[in-house]
Amino acid sequence: MRILAFICLLILSGLTGLYSQDTGDVQVKSGYMKVPEGSLYYEEAGTGEPLIFIHGHSLDRRMWNEQFFKFAKHYRAIRYDLRGYGISSKQTEDFQFTHAEDLVALMDALHIRKAHIVGLSLGGFVGADMLGCFPDRMLSAFLASGNIRKSKGPSEPMTKEEAAKRDEEIAALEKKGVDVMKKEWFEGLMQSGGTRKERMRVPLWEMIDDWDAWQPLHKEVRVIIGLDAYAKLKENHPQVPTLIVEGRSPGNRYSDHPEILDYLPNGKLKVLDDCGHMMNMEQPEAFNEALEEFLNDLE
């Protein structure tokens, strides 16, 4: 019992609670790091400039399997579970936090002043929030299948009308069934893909199946800074080197000119052929090549 209590104390105090594992020639450290009202599970490997991977909605750190180990050979690679996903702390309806602020807290705890940020979908929203609110903590941004989310930020708490609408949506989902919703969500991600999408079917479903679906079943606080971040980005025009990445396939939609690029002097768009929303999982070679080229050009 004393040993168990000591381990719990390490985790909750943010003293890493690390264990190590070997994956080929890459040694991985993992643990929990304290953030306000919770903790984030993270993994890191390698040395060099910090490179942080941020996963998508309904998924977790495992979506980066084909990037994390590769880039750990040349960078201090870090991946983690966002609050409310994977094995990080659960969300609640009454504690206001944002994923970007959690990321900054994680960076502080890991003694990282600046990092390259790689995000996909929800992770791309978080990366765009960072560009708006914390550009001084970024070496670069590589945002795939998502950038600025034009939704209300923490400056506009949920109104009574919004809460009532959410109650209706939650009731409808409960009637429909979470399992049905998960299947539809999964098939939508699959259908957006190109000719190699079947290679991701099993790992993608494993993550969605493991997801507890808390977010669609509750009145989530403003976890994305959204329009609040966008206002700051428009005002400040951060100089952070940024690559907005989209996938070209019949089932995937994207803008030929993402509006965010109007406010990023060092921002560009890159389109990867024959892949959809989950491009890093269905076309890992092309995704990795684009990321590697982007990072090399910074040097």
Side-chain angles (χ1 to χ4, degrees), residues 137-164:
R137 305 302 301 268
M138 307 178 78
L139 294 170
S140 70
F142 187 96
L143 310 182
S145 299
N147 45 83
I148 278 290
R149 180 179 176 185
K150 294 183 179 179
S151 58
K152 293 180 180 179
S155 68
E156 298 183 76
M158 184 178 291
T159 65
K160 291 182 178 179
E161 292 75 18
E162 288 176 304

Side-chain angles (χ1 to χ4, degrees), residues 12-111:
L12 293 175
S13 64
L15 297 177
T16 72
L18 296 177
Y19 70 85
S20 297
Q21 66 185 57
D22 285 310
T23 305
D25 57 350
V26 176
Q27 187 179 53
V28 179
K29 295 191 299 182
S30 63
Y32 287 85
M33 198 62 72
K34 184 174 175 58
V35 293
E37 299 293 322
S39 60
L40 301 178
Y41 176 79
Y42 75 97
E43 296 175 348
E44 70 167 298
T47 59
E49 291 184 333
L51 177 63
I52 302 177
F53 295 95
I54 313 173
H55 65 79
H57 170 63
S58 78
L59 308 175
D60 57 57
R61 70 198 179 281
R62 292 174 290 175
M63 67 168 275
W64 297 113
N65 280 350
E66 295 187 82
Q67 286 75 45
F68 178 71
F69 299 104
K70 172 181 173 60
F71 285 91
K73 296 176 182 178
H74 302 287
Y75 293 88
R76 182 185 177 188
I78 296 164
R79 62 179 179 176
Y80 69 104
D81 290 338
L82 295 167
R83 189 194 301 243
Y85 299 89
I87 54 176
S88 287
S89 290
K90 304 299 182 184
Q91 294 176 235
T92 65
E93 292 185 347
D94 57 358
F95 176 68
Q96 174 60 59
F97 75 97
T98 66
H99 290 309
E101 290 171 319
D102 270 1
L103 174 54
V104 171
L106 178 65
M107 291 173 64
D108 287 344
L110 293 174
H111 308 292

Side-chain angles (χ1 to χ4, degrees), residues 53-57 63-64 67 117-128 131 141-148 242-247 252-254 258 260 268-272 275-281 286-288 290-291 294:
F53 295 95
I54 313 173
H55 65 79
H57 170 63
M63 67 168 275
W64 297 113
Q67 286 75 45
I117 303 299
V118 180
L120 187 144
S121 193
L122 172 58
F125 298 155
V126 178
L131 283 170
F142 187 96
L143 310 182
S145 299
N147 45 83
I148 278 290
T242 302
L243 191 64
I244 304 299
V245 190
E246 300 289 354
N252 196 47
R253 297 180 180 179
Y254 64 92
I260 190 174
K268 296 180 180 179
L269 171 68
K270 186 178 184 68
V271 179
L272 301 184
C275 58
H277 194 77
M278 297 303 303
M279 60 181 78
N280 75 303
M281 294 182 67
F287 185 93
N288 293 351
L291 177 54
F294 172 68

